[in-house]
Amino acid sequence: MGDVAKDLAAGTVGGAAQLVVGHPFDTIKVKLQSQPTPPPGQPPKFAGAMDAVKQTISAEGPRGLYKGMGAPLATVAAFNAVLFTVRGQMEALLRSEPGAALTVGQQVVAGAGAGVAVSFLACPTELIKCRLQAQSALATAAPAAAAAPAGGAAATVTATAAAAVKYGGPLDVARHVLRSEGGVRGLFKGLVPTMAREIPGNALMFGVYEATKQFIAGGQDTSGLGRGSLILAGGVAGAAFWGSVYPTDVVKSKLQVDDFKNPKYSGSMDAFKKILAADGARGLYRGFGPAMARSVPANGACFLAYEVTRSLL
């Protein structure tokens, strides 16, 4: 098999492993990110990550933790195939000679290029996923919003309007957006913060992955590393991704679940400012715990599955 075909196949397997391991953490992250600011004097829907887990299982059963997985599962082949294939082709361009090991800096450049490419797949996929993951939190917030005093926060209006839309699944979300939210353009709502997440995030992730492997191996030749080392390097790389771009992901999620007819946010910077005004810097890190808890095992599984699959082809 050629290098492109190997990256396509190995990226698909790696993405599937990442999704299965990490999706429940991601569901809790989105629920915490997207819950509306409560009216004055009222507690938030979720007190924290564990409370969100308990409420989700109580209301929806364990399957609720996997809500919204259909959209990324349907596109995981394309997403990870593009990510690892573009990265692989950029590695080939950056090598001084065939087979030469890349420096950490070259891996950063390759990761950034891969981030540009995957942004256009990640944005519509995550919009659908976030709508499905967040709708139960928004629906529960609607009664409190309706009961809030006149002149209350704009978030209550958004929560009420958003809760009016009920989705039966990924295709239902896509149909609703295409029909009622500006057609294809509506599926790319949040593209700017998606790119602001994927480009620097993947640059750092692949750079840290390579740096960690070289540190463990004691040099640039990392071909002899075992599976445990690959899991560790992948986990550290995933933590670096989320640790560096998390506030951007919060802005993206807020924009993607915002109501189309009565939007609270006019764009990325407006969302950033309003989150800071309403919740302070803490609001930009809502759901950070589940995201970091997910990043280590999910990315460890992804990189291990990718490396093992590629070595077998």
Side-chain angles (χ1 to χ4, degrees):
M1 295 179 70
D3 286 338
V4 173
K6 288 181 180 180
D7 283 330
L8 285 169
T12 300
V13 175
Q18 181 184 44
L19 188 65
V20 171
V21 172
H23 194 79
F25 295 96
D26 189 65
T27 296
I28 299 305
K29 171 183 74 71
V30 171
K31 283 178 178 285
L32 290 172
Q33 286 178 338
S34 58
Q35 64 176 328
T37 301
Q42 297 295 318
K45 162 68 175 170
F46 304 114
M50 288 308 300
D51 184 48
V53 171
K54 291 175 183 176
Q55 289 195 43
T56 299
I57 293 176
S58 176
E60 306 170 50
R63 291 179 61 183
L65 295 172
Y66 283 89
K67 186 165 286 184
M69 195 172 80
L73 186 60
T75 57
V76 67
F79 181 90
N80 286 279
V82 169
L83 178 67
F84 283 98
T85 301
V86 172
R87 175 230 187 184
Q89 291 305 294
M90 291 199 67
E91 284 180 332
L93 291 173
L94 293 168
R95 281 194 178 96
S96 57
E97 59 184 49
L102 266 67
T103 66
V104 172
Q106 288 172 320
Q107 286 288 0
V108 168
V109 174
V116 174
V118 298
S119 293
F120 293 93
L121 288 173
C123 186
T125 299
E126 294 209 1
L127 182 141
I128 292 171
K129 174 181 69 69
C130 287
R131 294 283 181 93
L132 290 170
Q133 289 173 322
Q135 67 177 347
S136 62
L138 292 173
T140 305
T156 61
V157 177
T158 301
T160 305
V165 179
K166 299 293 184 182
Y167 303 115
L171 291 178
D172 190 33
V173 178
R175 282 193 293 264
H176 173 82
V177 173
L178 289 171
R179 184 175 62 247
S180 307
E181 299 187 24
V184 174
R185 183 178 179 183
L187 290 174
F188 286 89
K189 184 177 184 179
L191 179 61
V192 171
T194 299
M195 296 186 76
R197 183 192 72 179
E198 293 295 330
I199 296 172
N202 279 294
L204 185 60
M205 181 175 73
F206 284 111
V208 168
Y209 180 63
E210 186 62 28
T212 304
K213 287 199 303 178
Q214 290 185 15
F215 176 78
I216 296 172
Q220 283 194 310
D221 183 6
T222 61
S223 59
L225 292 179
R227 295 184 179 184
S229 296
L230 295 176
I231 292 174
L232 175 61
V236 172
F241 180 106
W242 286 108
S244 64
V245 299
Y246 193 79
T248 307
D249 186 66
V250 173
V251 171
K252 177 199 71 68
S253 294
K254 288 281 191 181
L255 285 176
Q256 290 185 325
V257 302
D258 197 14
D259 185 62
F260 179 73
K261 294 181 179 178
N262 299 289
K264 181 182 178 183
Y265 310 112
S266 61
S268 300
M269 287 307 300
D270 185 50
F272 178 79
K273 292 175 182 176
K274 286 181 176 176
I275 293 169
L276 279 179
D279 302 311
R282 185 177 180 180
L284 293 170
Y285 285 89
R286 185 171 285 167
F288 184 69
M292 293 303 289
R294 165 188 177 271
S295 66
V296 175
N299 284 280
C302 177
F303 277 101
L304 174 64
Y306 169 80
E307 298 278 16
V308 170
T309 302
R310 202 178 192 286
S311 68
L312 294 174
L313 296 176

